[in-house]
Amino acid sequence: YIKFLKHMETFFINVLEFLKASSLVYCDWKFDNILCFYINPKDDPQIKLSDFGSVLSANIATVNPHNINQLYCSPNLASCQKYITPQYSDDYKSVSFLFYKLNGKRLPWEIEYNVQVAGDVTGVLALTTLLKVMDLTKLKFKGLPYWPSDPIFNVLNTSAYYVLDKRSKISS
């Protein structure tokens, strides 16, 4: 399992670096969009990203498409505002949420508020509000099977939710 988590870490870092180099923000991170398969059971897994319909240009204000998975996105992208400005840090937060889930944990809004937002505008508004005020530093990182050492995964483990990472290659 730890080996698989390390493969996922490498996958996430490679995708985030590619997106940054292309001035893009993926926006719609969810497990449904990550394909994982084995060509040969003795080899490492093949991991691919799918569904690029929500990819937006980084740091450019755009009309909010409202088609982004709300459970794993940053407050900036979960906004119900007419315009959003996607940033690289939005993807970093989403990937960190997914990696936290890969460690067998539930996110705070899944536990305390049992938020389910599929097609539920009220749920989306509640989640957006909740994400903006929630102190994500209270996520319990101790005791996780594996947490990446790469600074992009520390975006949730900082004192301020909007603090950008210190990684010079892919920082906003």
Side-chain angles (χ1 to χ4, degrees), residues 8 25 36 49 61 71 84 94 104 124 144 161:
M8 289 302 295
V25 178
C36 183
L49 189 62
L71 279 178
I84 57 173
S94 296
V124 171
L144 293 179
Y161 186 64

Side-chain angles (χ1 to χ4, degrees), residues 18-45:
F18 172 80
L19 290 167
K20 168 88 169 153
S22 303
S23 299
L24 298 171
V25 178
Y26 182 73
C27 299
D28 197 22
W29 290 96
K30 59 186 173 185
F31 292 117
D32 294 351
N33 292 345
I34 300 171
L35 310 174
C36 183
F37 56 94
Y38 291 87
I39 294 174
N40 181 341
K42 294 182 180 182
D43 292 339
D44 292 335

Side-chain angles (χ1 to χ4, degrees), residues 50-159:
S50 67
D51 190 359
F52 295 88
S54 298
V55 173
L56 297 171
S57 297
N59 301 314
I60 297 175
T62 185
V63 174
N64 189 342
H66 297 291
N67 67 343
I68 297 166
N69 183 303
Q70 302 293 318
L71 279 178
Y72 306 118
C73 71
S74 71
N76 179 43
L77 297 179
S79 171
C80 291
Q81 300 297 318
K82 183 174 180 176
Y83 294 96
I84 57 173
T85 304
Q87 300 171 1
Y88 304 118
S89 59
D90 294 321
D91 276 351
Y92 305 165
K93 291 167 193 163
S94 296
V95 164
S96 295
F97 291 151
L98 290 176
F99 210 89
Y100 193 74
K101 297 271 300 177
L102 283 171
N103 273 277
K105 299 294 185 180
R106 293 179 67 200
L107 295 165
W109 48 91
E110 294 176 297
I111 298 168
E112 294 178 35
Y113 302 93
N114 195 24
V115 173
Q116 298 184 12
V117 296
D120 176 10
V121 175
T122 306
V124 171
L125 291 170
L127 180 60
T128 302
T129 303
L130 180 63
L131 281 171
K132 289 181 179 180
V133 299
M134 182 168 282
D135 182 3
L136 293 174
T137 61
K138 293 180 180 171
L139 290 176
K140 302 200 180 349
F141 292 94
K142 289 186 180 183
L144 293 179
Y146 177 76
W147 190 259
S149 60
D150 194 290
I152 66 165
F153 292 93
N154 290 335
V155 71
L156 301 180
N157 203 11
T158 59
S159 59

